[in-house]
Amino acid sequence: MSAPLTLPDLSATPLVRTVRIEEPVDLLGHVPAGVSGAWLRHGQGLVAVGRAWSVRTSGPDRFAAASAAFRDLASRARVDDEVRVRTSGLIALGSFSYAGASERPSTLLVPRALLGVHDGEAFLTVVGIDEEPELPASWRDLFPSSPVDVPAAAPLELEADHTPDEYQALVLQAVDEIRSGVAEKVVLSERTSVRTPEPLSPALLLTRLARAYPSTWVYHLEDVIGASPEMLAQTEDGRVFSRVLAGSRPAADDGELDEADRRAFRADRKERSEHAYAVDSVVERLEDLAAEIEVSAEPFVLRLPGLEHLASDVSARLHEGVTSLDVAARLHPSAAVSGTPREQADEIIARLEPRDRGGYAAPVGWMDASGDGQWAIALRMAHLTGERSAVLQAGGGLVAASDPVSEHAEALAKCRPMLRALRGDAEA
């Protein structure tokens, strides 16, 4: 069981107003220093400031408790939305913990103000609780220009939880468990603590990530920030979409694999096996929530700077009343971030990763008053742990044929986006 760690006002009435911005808006040019949350892709999405309402939950029922609190709030909402696009009106941003036993709470937050761009249309949403929200004279009063980007003045201080030999020994332990039949796949990760020479700026990190990795879902809420390539659950008009990534190959110098290497990657039995487990886990868990499930006929290669993935898209028709957060809760943790079978994989992870995963590899995204929304998996990420400190976390899926050296290289490659953002330059 779980209960809200912060119990919201059960009588609160949100008054929400969304107005159209007639001029074009460069969203990445208006991520303010005081940003409280963001969801960005291809120059569109949402940037948030302030906190009008929030709920924090914990335990195995953290998703259901947060969803119920927000649905209750939405049932009382008075919304004046002159734009009526996908991300206008009442929106909650969310970040959940990986495990029910996590010390880190899960959060749904309704911001005081949101600047949004959807299909080229810009808008401003303001929210008041039990009072009319006040529109500023200009949207720029709430969302001034992004901070000036200045690269780090000195090198970052990096310290991994393990030496390369120690991490590779952990990989061997996991592979031994797989070969002995305890599990078929296990996703092991490594943490790297970072000290920065200057105070961290979430606004700068967001704009750097969004410009360098425009095809990912760039996110920030509470202590998590990152650029995820993996959509866990996206719902709209009664349908759900999920993009499954499992199987990865680093490419040198932020480039791409050559065609011969890419063909070998797509045909690699180890990579295909790891990918199949992840796809099957999504399909199996959707069966109670949806019908007419469709899967990519063959995995395709998703190309990102310095790293390529095997990817498959899954879509289905949702049963009546199922929300995006319902789907995210059912799919989490998928085999792409946990393993197969899930219970055995998570038990191995708990033994080999003694530190709490927190928000790593957990759902992060947004939901509207009707329950539609987008929930990515918090990957290529960092926990912001202090004014000048962060913890990066990344890993990879292990199967019986996994090689410890290659798996260590993959985990390091997946830290590259956040390291580049922290440094403010092209080095990794």
Side-chain angles (χ1 to χ4, degrees):
M1 298 294 292
S2 69
L5 297 175
T6 55
L7 188 65
D9 185 348
L10 298 179
S11 64
T13 299
L15 284 72
V16 184
R17 187 173 180 190
T18 298
V19 295
R20 180 175 286 104
I21 299 174
E22 300 295 344
E23 61 188 290
V25 172
D26 172 17
L27 196 56
L28 299 186
H30 292 277
V31 182
V35 61
S36 61
W39 182 260
L40 302 164
R41 188 171 188 250
H42 289 311
Q44 301 195 121
L46 301 165
V47 176
V49 293
R51 181 188 301 260
W53 175 95
S54 66
V55 61
R56 293 186 175 187
T57 61
S58 64
D61 297 328
R62 61 200 181 281
F63 295 98
S67 181
F70 179 62
R71 288 200 309 271
D72 181 67
L73 181 82
S75 70
R76 297 189 301 275
R78 289 160 46 190
V79 180
D80 177 8
D81 183 356
E82 69 178 42
V83 181
R84 296 186 178 278
V85 295
R86 179 156 164 73
T87 47
S88 63
L90 179 63
I91 297 290
L93 298 170
S95 169
F96 287 80
S97 59
Y98 180 87
S102 176
E103 297 178 359
R104 174 190 183 270
S106 300
T107 300
L108 274 182
L109 176 146
V110 175
R112 282 281 178 189
L114 277 170
L115 178 65
V117 176
H118 179 77
D119 287 344
E121 185 159 22
F123 57 90
L124 173 70
T125 296
V126 291
V127 180
I129 300 296
D130 296 326
E131 62 181 8
E132 288 288 342
E134 182 177 347
L135 281 171
S138 168
W139 61 269
R140 288 184 175 84
D141 294 343
L142 292 173
F143 295 93
S145 298
S146 304
V148 176
D149 194 347
V150 178
L156 305 177
E157 297 178 19
L158 306 178
E159 183 178 358
D161 275 5
H162 304 92
T163 67
D165 286 345
E166 289 171 343
Y167 184 73
Q168 290 166 32
L170 291 175
V171 171
L172 278 176
Q173 288 184 50
V175 170
D176 285 345
E177 301 243 20
I178 293 168
R179 290 173 178 168
S180 68
V182 176
E184 296 171 310
K185 174 185 174 182
V186 175
V187 180
L188 194 65
S189 69
E190 170 70 310
R191 291 162 35 105
T192 301
S193 299
V194 181
R195 292 282 301 173
T196 62
E198 303 293 336
L200 288 165
S201 167
L204 279 181
L205 294 175
L206 284 167
T207 54
R208 289 168 179 170
L209 288 168
R211 294 189 192 284
Y213 304 94
S215 64
T216 66
W217 289 272
V218 174
Y219 58 88
H220 169 51
L221 187 69
E222 303 286 273
D223 61 332
V224 297
I225 191 166
S228 177
E230 189 156 0
M231 175 55 62
L232 181 66
Q234 171 178 299
T235 67
E236 185 174 13
D237 297 331
R239 292 198 64 82
V240 60
F241 164 83
S242 182
R243 172 160 289 174
V244 183
L245 304 185
S248 306
R249 285 285 172 88
D253 302 321
D254 285 339
E256 297 183 352
L257 299 175
D258 61 33
E259 282 305 315
D261 286 341
R262 188 172 294 125
R263 285 195 299 271
F265 174 38
R266 292 185 63 177
D268 187 282
R269 291 181 61 185
K270 178 264 178 186
E271 305 289 359
R272 295 287 292 246
S273 172
E274 178 187 339
H275 188 78
Y277 289 134
V279 173
D280 288 347
S281 77
V282 169
V283 171
E284 290 169 6
R285 294 174 201 172
L286 276 179
E287 287 176 345
D288 291 339
L289 301 179
E292 301 170 11
I293 300 174
E294 301 176 0
V295 183
S296 301
E298 282 287 320
F300 59 91
V301 176
L302 179 66
R303 306 175 191 179
L304 297 172
L307 200 64
E308 303 198 6
H309 302 274
L310 289 185
S312 290
D313 288 341
V314 180
S315 63
R317 177 176 56 81
L318 287 173
H319 297 326
E320 187 72 25
V322 176
T323 70
S324 61
L325 194 50
D326 293 335
V327 179
R330 180 67 63 86
L331 295 182
H332 174 75
S334 75
V337 296
S338 170
T340 305
R342 175 163 54 180
E343 292 77 13
Q344 287 84 345
D346 275 342
E347 189 275 330
I348 294 170
I349 290 168
R351 282 191 281 109
L352 299 184
E353 290 183 22
R355 294 180 186 267
D356 186 349
R357 280 190 168 186
Y360 167 68
V364 60
W366 63 271
M367 183 166 69
D368 66 18
S370 71
D372 275 342
Q374 294 177 305
W375 297 95
I377 301 176
L379 302 172
R380 312 298 186 272
M381 60 84 70
H383 285 102
L384 304 178
T385 55
E387 184 183 41
R388 301 187 185 206
S389 63
V391 175
L392 282 57
Q393 192 157 357
L398 309 177
V399 292
S402 291
D403 170 65
V405 175
S406 298
E407 297 299 339
H408 186 224
E410 179 179 329
L412 294 177
K414 289 175 177 176
C415 286
R416 193 176 299 156
M418 279 308 311
L419 285 174
R420 290 185 61 188
L422 287 164
R423 289 184 174 121
D425 60 23
E427 296 179 12

